[in-house]
Amino acid sequence: MALFKDEEDVYAVLGTFFRNASRDETMGPAIQKSGLIIQFEYSDPASILTIDATEAADGAYFAVIEGRTEKKPDVHMTMKADIANQFWLGKLNLLAALSRRQMVAKGPIPKIVKLLPAIQPAYKMYQEYLQKIGRSELLGY
Amino acid sequence: MLDFFQFFSPTRIVGGAPGLLGQLGPELEPFRRKKVGIVMDPVIEGLNLIDVLQPSLREAGMEVVATFADVPQDSDIPIVQRAATEFSKAGVEMLFAIGGGSVIDTAKAANIVLTHGGDLRDYQGAQILTHPLLPLVAVPTTVGTGSEVTMVSVVVDREDHRKLTFIDRTLAPTLAVLDPGVTYSLPTRLVATTAMDALTHALEAFIDLEHSPLSDAWAVAAANLIRQNLLPALAPSGFEEARANLQVASAMAGVAFNHSMVGIVHALAHSLGGVAGVPHGLANMLMLTEGLTSNLAVAADRIAEVGLRSEFISKQREHTPVIATAQDVIDELVRFRRQVTETADLPHSLRGAGVTENQLTFLVERASEDGSLVYNPRTVPPEEILQMYKNVMGE
């Protein structure tokens, strides 16, 4: 059974987490500097989150868009929403996930390589965030 | 405890005596009567290897309907698009790539455009291809690419001075033909630089994050063969067996890095190729020990192990602590490389390879965003990359 009950649940958990990250001093500047539009297309449940580092407003370093958008992403990543949860928990071997097709990355991978060191703090942040919002059941996966 | 690993090597590899290229009838039987498109470079075209191949094609009732021989040292997007257009017009049903890494990677990339259509840039990424590709027969004429057995294609975007990477299981050639005869006319300098490229593939495949017991075995066997055969292969005569062994070693290193990929040395080399036009094998050769040294703090055990298992140093030179053994391996590789560069009359420094100081900033920028870094045992900051280049600049 999928961890997230529907599209809105994905946006409530991951979407809010991304918006929190967009204001984070440790990660935000590096993502903003990349100037990338990165789209995450999830299945189970079907949902789309897009990070747009070409636009920033209201004190955020990048914009987070829920659902379909006209914006053309530089990098498009598809995966199950459960896999995304594992990734942000820091429990997923990214390289193995790519080679096993648990994640499919389309676009200039080198451009997102630069971001990997910058998002390291996100793993701990996501764990703390899940506990804070009362979704500790997502920690066990 | 082992992490998850997998082993997947779909390419059928055939090798044997010189002249195998003309005796491939049985291997080509599954492709009977197919219309063939051949990818080469101008040098290979001049060697008339198509004539050598013709008896094999005739036996399988195959016809060459298009030949594309314009592939440069580092292939680029317009070359790939042009090859695909010509092959499409000719109704090509399968591809042959006869040449070095650039030729084989061009054939792989052209195969993507032929079967998926559109702009090659849209297929950058990992495991994203959705349609079957045309069968591809790869005939490596150097002793270093490994591309004849890998699922990777690297093509230059000259507008952006970047190397674009395409990774997909279906990109691995259908058949790899290791005919030692095609290496006999290879200039000594190319034997040296391409074999050092293969050695870099083997060592980085062993040290990288995604290594496994299976990729380790291929990496060690390749490194050992290169250690034993590279200097004899550079001799003015009597080099035939050594070059045949290097050809096998190159394919073995290819199988190894097809699984565990490459690391910081390749990131540095890709940038040298994209920004300064340094040939890939030479760039790897020049940066190899810098890359290993940068990984010493986190991967001394792996550097020591690969050096011992491939016998770059003997068991008697195993020290405690392990970092001393690893340093000994690196020192031995420096000595080995010096012998190779002196024998083949190759540059010892980046300056000697045509790199200038004003390219350093751009080199660092491109190296620090290279995809190979994902697989390196540690994150290497830009300031350290700059220092590595400076260390090899020379007088």
Short mmCIF file of all heavy atoms in Angstrom, two decimals, chain B residues 334-372:
data_model
loop_
_atom_site.label_atom_id
_atom_site.label_comp_id
_atom_site.label_asym_id
_atom_site.label_seq_id
_atom_site.Cartn_x
_atom_site.Cartn_y
_atom_site.Cartn_z
N VAL B 334 53.10 6.34 -10.56
CA VAL B 334 53.86 7.50 -11.08
C VAL B 334 55.06 6.98 -11.88
O VAL B 334 55.33 7.46 -13.00
CB VAL B 334 54.31 8.42 -9.93
CG1 VAL B 334 55.32 9.46 -10.43
CG2 VAL B 334 53.10 9.11 -9.29
N ARG B 335 55.77 6.00 -11.32
CA ARG B 335 56.94 5.44 -12.03
C ARG B 335 56.52 4.77 -13.34
O ARG B 335 57.15 4.95 -14.38
CB ARG B 335 57.66 4.41 -11.14
CG ARG B 335 58.62 5.04 -10.14
CD ARG B 335 59.48 3.98 -9.47
NE ARG B 335 58.74 3.20 -8.50
CZ ARG B 335 58.56 3.58 -7.23
NH1 ARG B 335 59.05 4.73 -6.79
NH2 ARG B 335 57.87 2.82 -6.40
N PHE B 336 55.43 4.00 -13.28
CA PHE B 336 54.92 3.31 -14.46
C PHE B 336 54.56 4.32 -15.56
O PHE B 336 54.93 4.17 -16.72
CB PHE B 336 53.70 2.47 -14.06
CG PHE B 336 53.11 1.63 -15.16
CD1 PHE B 336 53.76 0.50 -15.62
CD2 PHE B 336 51.89 1.97 -15.75
CE1 PHE B 336 53.21 -0.29 -16.63
CE2 PHE B 336 51.34 1.20 -16.75
CZ PHE B 336 52.00 0.07 -17.19
N ARG B 337 53.86 5.37 -15.16
CA ARG B 337 53.45 6.39 -16.12
C ARG B 337 54.67 7.08 -16.74
O ARG B 337 54.69 7.37 -17.93
CB ARG B 337 52.56 7.43 -15.42
CG ARG B 337 52.10 8.55 -16.36
CD ARG B 337 51.16 9.49 -15.66
NE ARG B 337 51.75 10.06 -14.47
CZ ARG B 337 51.07 10.73 -13.55
NH1 ARG B 337 49.77 10.91 -13.69
NH2 ARG B 337 51.68 11.22 -12.49
N ARG B 338 55.69 7.33 -15.91
CA ARG B 338 56.89 7.99 -16.43
C ARG B 338 57.53 7.13 -17.52
O ARG B 338 57.94 7.62 -18.58
CB ARG B 338 57.89 8.26 -15.30
CG ARG B 338 59.03 9.19 -15.73
CD ARG B 338 59.99 9.48 -14.59
NE ARG B 338 59.35 10.01 -13.42
CZ ARG B 338 59.42 9.47 -12.20
NH1 ARG B 338 60.11 8.35 -12.02
NH2 ARG B 338 58.81 10.02 -11.18
N GLN B 339 57.60 5.83 -17.27
CA GLN B 339 58.16 4.92 -18.28
C GLN B 339 57.35 4.99 -19.57
O GLN B 339 57.90 5.01 -20.67
CB GLN B 339 58.15 3.48 -17.76
CG GLN B 339 59.21 3.17 -16.73
CD GLN B 339 59.11 1.71 -16.31
OE1 GLN B 339 58.17 1.33 -15.62
NE2 GLN B 339 60.06 0.90 -16.74
N VAL B 340 56.03 5.02 -19.42
CA VAL B 340 55.15 5.05 -20.60
C VAL B 340 55.33 6.36 -21.37
O VAL B 340 55.48 6.35 -22.59
CB VAL B 340 53.67 4.86 -20.17
CG1 VAL B 340 52.73 5.09 -21.35
CG2 VAL B 340 53.46 3.48 -19.57
N THR B 341 55.33 7.49 -20.65
CA THR B 341 55.44 8.78 -21.35
C THR B 341 56.79 8.92 -22.05
O THR B 341 56.87 9.44 -23.16
CB THR B 341 55.23 9.98 -20.39
OG1 THR B 341 56.11 9.82 -19.28
CG2 THR B 341 53.82 10.07 -19.91
N GLU B 342 57.84 8.42 -21.38
CA GLU B 342 59.16 8.53 -22.01
C GLU B 342 59.28 7.62 -23.23
O GLU B 342 59.80 8.01 -24.27
CB GLU B 342 60.25 8.22 -20.98
CG GLU B 342 60.44 9.39 -20.01
CD GLU B 342 61.35 9.07 -18.84
OE1 GLU B 342 61.91 7.95 -18.80
OE2 GLU B 342 61.51 9.96 -17.97
N THR B 343 58.74 6.41 -23.12
CA THR B 343 58.82 5.48 -24.24
C THR B 343 58.01 5.96 -25.44
O THR B 343 58.42 5.82 -26.59
CB THR B 343 58.30 4.08 -23.81
OG1 THR B 343 58.96 3.70 -22.61
CG2 THR B 343 58.55 3.03 -24.88
N ALA B 344 56.84 6.54 -25.15
CA ALA B 344 55.95 6.95 -26.24
C ALA B 344 56.09 8.43 -26.60
O ALA B 344 55.33 8.92 -27.43
CB ALA B 344 54.50 6.65 -25.85
N ASP B 345 57.04 9.11 -25.95
CA ASP B 345 57.29 10.52 -26.23
C ASP B 345 56.03 11.37 -26.05
O ASP B 345 55.59 12.08 -26.96
CB ASP B 345 57.85 10.69 -27.66
CG ASP B 345 58.39 12.08 -27.89
OD1 ASP B 345 58.75 12.74 -26.89
OD2 ASP B 345 58.42 12.53 -29.05
N LEU B 346 55.46 11.27 -24.87
CA LEU B 346 54.22 12.00 -24.56
C LEU B 346 54.50 13.14 -23.59
O LEU B 346 55.49 13.09 -22.84
CB LEU B 346 53.21 11.03 -23.92
CG LEU B 346 52.60 10.00 -24.86
CD1 LEU B 346 51.95 8.88 -24.07
CD2 LEU B 346 51.59 10.65 -25.79
N PRO B 347 53.64 14.17 -23.58
CA PRO B 347 53.85 15.26 -22.61
C PRO B 347 53.71 14.78 -21.17
O PRO B 347 52.93 13.87 -20.88
CB PRO B 347 52.74 16.25 -22.97
CG PRO B 347 51.86 15.61 -23.95
CD PRO B 347 52.51 14.38 -24.46
N HIS B 348 54.47 15.42 -20.28
CA HIS B 348 54.43 15.08 -18.85
C HIS B 348 53.52 16.03 -18.07
O HIS B 348 53.34 15.84 -16.87
CB HIS B 348 55.83 15.18 -18.24
CG HIS B 348 56.80 14.21 -18.80
ND1 HIS B 348 57.14 13.05 -18.15
CD2 HIS B 348 57.50 14.20 -19.95
CE1 HIS B 348 58.03 12.39 -18.87
NE2 HIS B 348 58.26 13.06 -19.97
N SER B 349 53.03 17.07 -18.74
CA SER B 349 52.30 18.10 -17.99
C SER B 349 51.12 18.61 -18.82
O SER B 349 51.05 18.39 -20.04
CB SER B 349 53.23 19.29 -17.71
OG SER B 349 53.59 19.91 -18.93
N LEU B 350 50.24 19.32 -18.14
CA LEU B 350 49.09 19.91 -18.85
C LEU B 350 49.56 20.97 -19.82
O LEU B 350 49.04 21.10 -20.92
CB LEU B 350 48.11 20.51 -17.83
CG LEU B 350 47.36 19.52 -16.95
CD1 LEU B 350 46.45 20.25 -15.98
CD2 LEU B 350 46.53 18.55 -17.80
N ARG B 351 50.60 21.74 -19.42
CA ARG B 351 51.12 22.75 -20.34
C ARG B 351 51.62 22.08 -21.61
O ARG B 351 51.38 22.56 -22.72
CB ARG B 351 52.24 23.55 -19.67
CG ARG B 351 52.54 24.87 -20.35
CD ARG B 351 53.69 25.61 -19.68
NE ARG B 351 53.52 25.75 -18.24
CZ ARG B 351 52.77 26.68 -17.66
NH1 ARG B 351 52.15 27.56 -18.40
NH2 ARG B 351 52.67 26.75 -16.35
N GLY B 352 52.31 20.97 -21.43
CA GLY B 352 52.81 20.22 -22.59
C GLY B 352 51.68 19.69 -23.47
O GLY B 352 51.87 19.44 -24.66
N ALA B 353 50.50 19.53 -22.85
CA ALA B 353 49.34 19.04 -23.61
C ALA B 353 48.53 20.19 -24.20
O ALA B 353 47.45 19.97 -24.76
CB ALA B 353 48.44 18.19 -22.70
N GLY B 354 49.05 21.43 -24.03
CA GLY B 354 48.40 22.57 -24.67
C GLY B 354 47.46 23.35 -23.77
O GLY B 354 46.75 24.24 -24.25
N VAL B 355 47.43 23.05 -22.48
CA VAL B 355 46.54 23.77 -21.57
C VAL B 355 47.22 25.06 -21.12
O VAL B 355 48.42 25.08 -20.88
CB VAL B 355 46.21 22.90 -20.33
CG1 VAL B 355 45.29 23.64 -19.37
CG2 VAL B 355 45.58 21.58 -20.76
N THR B 356 46.44 26.13 -21.03
CA THR B 356 47.00 27.42 -20.59
C THR B 356 46.37 27.84 -19.26
O THR B 356 45.27 27.38 -18.92
CB THR B 356 46.74 28.53 -21.63
OG1 THR B 356 45.32 28.61 -21.85
CG2 THR B 356 47.43 28.24 -22.94
N GLU B 357 47.09 28.71 -18.55
CA GLU B 357 46.62 29.15 -17.21
C GLU B 357 45.24 29.81 -17.27
O GLU B 357 44.43 29.64 -16.38
CB GLU B 357 47.62 30.14 -16.60
CG GLU B 357 48.35 29.62 -15.39
CD GLU B 357 49.72 29.10 -15.77
OE1 GLU B 357 50.15 29.42 -16.90
OE2 GLU B 357 50.33 28.38 -14.97
N ASN B 358 44.99 30.55 -18.35
CA ASN B 358 43.71 31.26 -18.39
C ASN B 358 42.52 30.32 -18.62
O ASN B 358 41.38 30.74 -18.59
CB ASN B 358 43.73 32.40 -19.42
CG ASN B 358 44.02 31.90 -20.82
OD1 ASN B 358 43.99 30.69 -21.05
ND2 ASN B 358 44.32 32.80 -21.73
N GLN B 359 42.79 29.04 -18.82
CA GLN B 359 41.69 28.07 -18.95
C GLN B 359 41.33 27.42 -17.61
O GLN B 359 40.33 26.71 -17.51
CB GLN B 359 42.08 26.95 -19.94
CG GLN B 359 42.19 27.44 -21.39
CD GLN B 359 42.76 26.38 -22.31
OE1 GLN B 359 43.73 25.70 -21.99
NE2 GLN B 359 42.16 26.23 -23.49
N LEU B 360 42.15 27.69 -16.58
CA LEU B 360 41.97 26.96 -15.32
C LEU B 360 40.61 27.18 -14.67
O LEU B 360 39.97 26.22 -14.21
CB LEU B 360 43.10 27.33 -14.34
CG LEU B 360 44.46 26.69 -14.63
CD1 LEU B 360 45.54 27.25 -13.71
CD2 LEU B 360 44.38 25.17 -14.49
N THR B 361 40.14 28.43 -14.65
CA THR B 361 38.86 28.70 -13.99
C THR B 361 37.72 27.93 -14.66
O THR B 361 36.88 27.30 -13.99
CB THR B 361 38.55 30.22 -14.04
OG1 THR B 361 39.66 30.89 -13.45
CG2 THR B 361 37.29 30.55 -13.28
N PHE B 362 37.72 27.96 -15.97
CA PHE B 362 36.68 27.25 -16.73
C PHE B 362 36.83 25.73 -16.55
O PHE B 362 35.83 25.00 -16.42
CB PHE B 362 36.83 27.64 -18.21
CG PHE B 362 35.58 27.44 -19.02
CD1 PHE B 362 34.36 27.18 -18.43
CD2 PHE B 362 35.64 27.53 -20.41
CE1 PHE B 362 33.21 27.01 -19.20
CE2 PHE B 362 34.51 27.35 -21.19
CZ PHE B 362 33.29 27.09 -20.58
N LEU B 363 38.07 25.26 -16.51
CA LEU B 363 38.30 23.81 -16.30
C LEU B 363 37.71 23.36 -14.97
O LEU B 363 37.05 22.32 -14.89
CB LEU B 363 39.81 23.51 -16.31
CG LEU B 363 40.49 23.42 -17.67
CD1 LEU B 363 42.02 23.44 -17.52
CD2 LEU B 363 40.06 22.15 -18.39
N VAL B 364 37.94 24.16 -13.93
CA VAL B 364 37.44 23.81 -12.60
C VAL B 364 35.91 23.81 -12.60
O VAL B 364 35.27 22.89 -12.06
CB VAL B 364 37.98 24.80 -11.54
CG1 VAL B 364 37.32 24.56 -10.18
CG2 VAL B 364 39.49 24.66 -11.42
N GLU B 365 35.32 24.82 -13.23
CA GLU B 365 33.85 24.92 -13.26
C GLU B 365 33.24 23.68 -13.92
O GLU B 365 32.31 23.08 -13.39
CB GLU B 365 33.46 26.18 -14.04
CG GLU B 365 31.97 26.45 -14.03
CD GLU B 365 31.59 27.62 -14.92
OE1 GLU B 365 32.32 28.63 -14.91
OE2 GLU B 365 30.58 27.50 -15.63
N ARG B 366 33.79 23.30 -15.06
CA ARG B 366 33.21 22.16 -15.78
C ARG B 366 33.49 20.83 -15.05
O ARG B 366 32.62 19.97 -14.97
CB ARG B 366 33.78 22.09 -17.20
CG ARG B 366 33.23 23.16 -18.13
CD ARG B 366 31.76 22.91 -18.39
NE ARG B 366 31.19 23.87 -19.31
CZ ARG B 366 30.50 24.95 -18.95
NH1 ARG B 366 30.29 25.21 -17.68
NH2 ARG B 366 30.00 25.77 -19.86
N ALA B 367 34.68 20.69 -14.49
CA ALA B 367 35.01 19.44 -13.77
C ALA B 367 34.12 19.27 -12.55
O ALA B 367 33.67 18.17 -12.23
CB ALA B 367 36.48 19.43 -13.36
N SER B 368 33.82 20.39 -11.86
CA SER B 368 33.07 20.27 -10.60
C SER B 368 31.61 19.94 -10.83
O SER B 368 30.89 19.64 -9.88
CB SER B 368 33.21 21.56 -9.78
OG SER B 368 32.65 22.63 -10.48
N GLU B 369 31.13 19.98 -12.07
CA GLU B 369 29.74 19.57 -12.32
C GLU B 369 29.68 18.33 -13.20
O GLU B 369 28.64 18.02 -13.77
CB GLU B 369 28.96 20.74 -12.95
CG GLU B 369 29.51 21.18 -14.29
CD GLU B 369 28.87 22.48 -14.77
OE1 GLU B 369 28.37 23.25 -13.94
OE2 GLU B 369 28.89 22.72 -15.99
N ASP B 370 30.79 17.61 -13.30
CA ASP B 370 30.81 16.41 -14.14
C ASP B 370 30.09 15.25 -13.43
O ASP B 370 30.25 15.05 -12.21
CB ASP B 370 32.26 16.01 -14.42
CG ASP B 370 32.35 14.93 -15.47
OD1 ASP B 370 32.25 13.73 -15.13
OD2 ASP B 370 32.48 15.29 -16.65
N GLY B 371 29.33 14.50 -14.20
CA GLY B 371 28.54 13.39 -13.64
C GLY B 371 29.38 12.32 -12.96
O GLY B 371 28.90 11.61 -12.06
N SER B 372 30.63 12.16 -13.36
CA SER B 372 31.49 11.13 -12.77
C SER B 372 31.69 11.34 -11.27
O SER B 372 31.94 10.39 -10.53
CB SER B 372 32.87 11.12 -13.44
OG SER B 372 32.75 11.01 -14.83
#
